[in-house]
Amino acid sequence: VTIKADAIQSGDGGKVIVWSDDITRFYGSISARGGAQSGNGGFVETSGHHYLDVRGTVNTLAPSGAAGTWLLDPTDINIVATGTATPDTLLTGQLFEDTAAIPTSEITIAALAAALGNGNVTISTNNTAGTGAGNINWTGALDYNGIGTKTLTLNANNNITLSGNITDSLAGGDVLNLTLNPGASGTMTIA
């Protein structure tokens, strides 16, 4: 499935929300691009009240304006250098996975870098419906060379643990604005 909420010549990209009360499985592509002559990128949210399975792509770029944002909201998430043997990791093109049996989602750093190449990314954990605590655990190094100027926001309902370098291998060419927000009673750990 392809969903487009693009501006054509001028104007901001639109808003697309793929959401359900139980299970959301997003396997298609969503575009909410800004206009060719002016305008900013739009907003895309892929959410599931109980769990979320994402294997699709999102583009919120703007040729003549600021990139938009893609919001994902797992229960817990591990941002990892190499995918582990959670369900469905062997399926081609997997980006993100979260199930009722395994409430901790997983996204590889390479997949996250690719998503940042198509716009800003916000990951916000919650523990309102799942069994997880709302933690974000990052292990591995991110080279954000080639993404342009983008923002990555990590909002945790509980703890954020960051272990790994975040660098631009060709210094000066790209900018990553990184915002880390642990929960009110959570902790921020940088190893």
Side-chain angles (χ1 to χ4, degrees):
V1 173
T2 299
I3 300 171
K4 291 189 176 184
D6 299 328
I8 305 302
Q9 293 300 316
S10 62
D12 296 341
K15 180 186 290 186
V16 176
I17 296 176
V18 177
W19 188 85
S20 71
D21 289 336
D22 192 10
I23 304 164
T24 298
R25 292 184 174 97
F26 165 54
Y27 300 164
S29 64
I30 298 174
S31 177
R33 294 174 50 92
Q37 295 177 356
S38 65
N40 298 321
F43 176 80
V44 174
E45 177 180 355
T46 52
S47 301
H49 186 62
H50 287 127
Y51 62 91
L52 176 63
D53 181 6
V54 174
R55 290 178 234 165
T57 60
V58 169
N59 189 321
T60 62
L61 294 176
S64 300
T69 298
W70 180 13
L71 169 66
L72 300 114
D73 67 344
T75 302
D76 285 325
I77 189 164
N78 293 330
I79 302 169
V80 296
T82 304
T84 61
T86 56
D88 299 332
T89 54
L90 298 179
L91 293 177
T92 302
Q94 165 142 2
L95 172 67
F96 178 91
E97 212 268 339
D98 179 23
T99 71
I102 300 175
T104 301
S105 303
E106 181 176 274
I107 183 171
T108 64
I109 290 173
L112 181 57
L116 285 166
N118 286 327
N120 303 312
V121 175
T122 298
I123 297 175
S124 294
T125 63
N126 67 76
N127 68 346
T128 57
T131 58
N135 295 321
I136 298 175
N137 297 300
W138 179 309
T139 56
L142 169 66
D143 177 2
Y144 59 87
N145 179 53
I147 68 165
T149 299
K150 301 292 176 14
T151 297
L152 172 61
T153 303
L154 302 180
N155 298 318
N157 190 70
N158 197 34
N159 302 325
I160 296 177
T161 302
L162 178 61
S163 176
N165 294 328
I166 299 174
T167 59
D168 182 0
S169 60
L170 295 175
D174 300 280
V175 175
L176 177 64
N177 299 304
L178 179 63
T179 303
L180 306 171
N181 297 313
S185 60
T187 61
M188 176 73 209
T189 304
I190 299 177

